[in-house]
Amino acid sequence: VLDGVSGAIEPRQVLAIMGPSGSGKTSLLNVLACRVPHHKHATLSGSVLLDGLDLTEQMPRLSAYVEQHEALFALSTVRETLEFTARLRLPHGTTASKMSERVAAVIAELNLVACADTLVGGPKIRGLSGGERRRVTIGIELLNNPPICFMDEPTSGLDSFQAQAVMETLRSLANSGRTV
């Protein structure tokens, strides 16, 4: 699909891949994030380098990947959602106080302090706005404090106000030293 293409993105930058529906944006993002499953009928060649090194095997541990569609528990609060995920994702042996500190840091970083104890909600349960839900989904991926963040259509389905809030969050994440 792509031939002879190269590019680079530095820390503290936000890069957007834009194009019409079906043009391969998600496929390219998956290649960059080293999330392409091996198929006997497809080939993938080339390299994705991090600081000049081929870290294809380590990329899943070095990066966050926020999928387009979130899967959150409607009856959990923002804080409960992140605490539950922290228990699953943070390294074994992380103390409860360190987990709580990391959860609080992510809540603050994503500007979710005002709704930290609000139910996430869903189709039949009142809860967060669409933009807040998207930021919770981003927060789940940021618990390990990765230097690289891949996001598949982070503003899809949001109104212009919520999309702007999410983009401001992404800009803030980049300003903190991450590559988004």
Side-chain angles (χ1 to χ4, degrees):
V1 174
L2 297 175
D3 187 24
V5 176
S6 65
I9 183 168
E10 301 289 327
R12 299 187 180 282
Q13 289 185 331
V14 176
L15 172 71
I17 302 170
M18 299 173 67
S21 197
S23 64
K25 300 178 299 291
T26 297
S27 296
L28 177 58
L29 191 66
N30 287 337
V31 167
L32 295 174
C34 303
R35 291 175 51 109
V36 178
H38 297 286
H39 291 289
K40 57 184 172 187
H41 301 295
T43 60
L44 180 63
S45 62
S47 57
V48 176
L49 305 176
L50 182 61
D51 291 332
L53 302 172
D54 183 355
L55 298 176
T56 303
E57 298 297 319
Q58 292 93 343
M59 187 62 81
R61 289 190 309 271
L62 295 172
S63 63
Y65 191 99
V66 179
E67 297 196 25
Q68 180 178 355
H69 302 288
E70 69 253 352
L72 301 170
F73 294 115
L75 296 175
S76 294
T77 67
V78 171
R79 188 179 322 280
E80 289 168 342
T81 298
L82 293 173
E83 286 173 347
F84 177 76
T85 306
R87 285 193 296 274
L88 294 173
R89 290 195 176 185
L90 293 181
H92 182 70
T94 303
T95 65
S97 64
K98 288 288 183 194
M99 279 188 217
S100 292
E101 285 175 24
R102 186 64 197 137
V103 166
V106 168
I107 288 171
E109 186 174 27
L110 296 177
N111 198 23
L112 293 168
V113 174
C115 61
D117 297 311
T118 301
L119 291 179
V120 169
K124 295 183 179 184
I125 299 167
R126 187 171 173 86
L128 302 176
S129 70
E132 291 166 337
R133 286 177 60 87
R134 193 62 49 94
R135 285 183 279 151
V136 171
T137 303
I138 292 168
I140 287 170
E141 295 299 325
L142 293 180
L143 286 168
N144 288 331
N145 204 16
I148 304 168
C149 301
F150 296 100
M151 303 195 191
D152 189 10
E153 298 195 33
T155 60
S156 180
L158 301 178
D159 63 33
S160 59
F161 178 80
Q162 293 297 338
Q164 166 111 16
V166 168
M167 289 309 298
E168 287 172 359
T169 298
L170 299 185
R171 177 74 265 166
S172 175
L173 292 175
N175 287 343
S176 73
R178 292 184 179 91
T179 302
V180 180

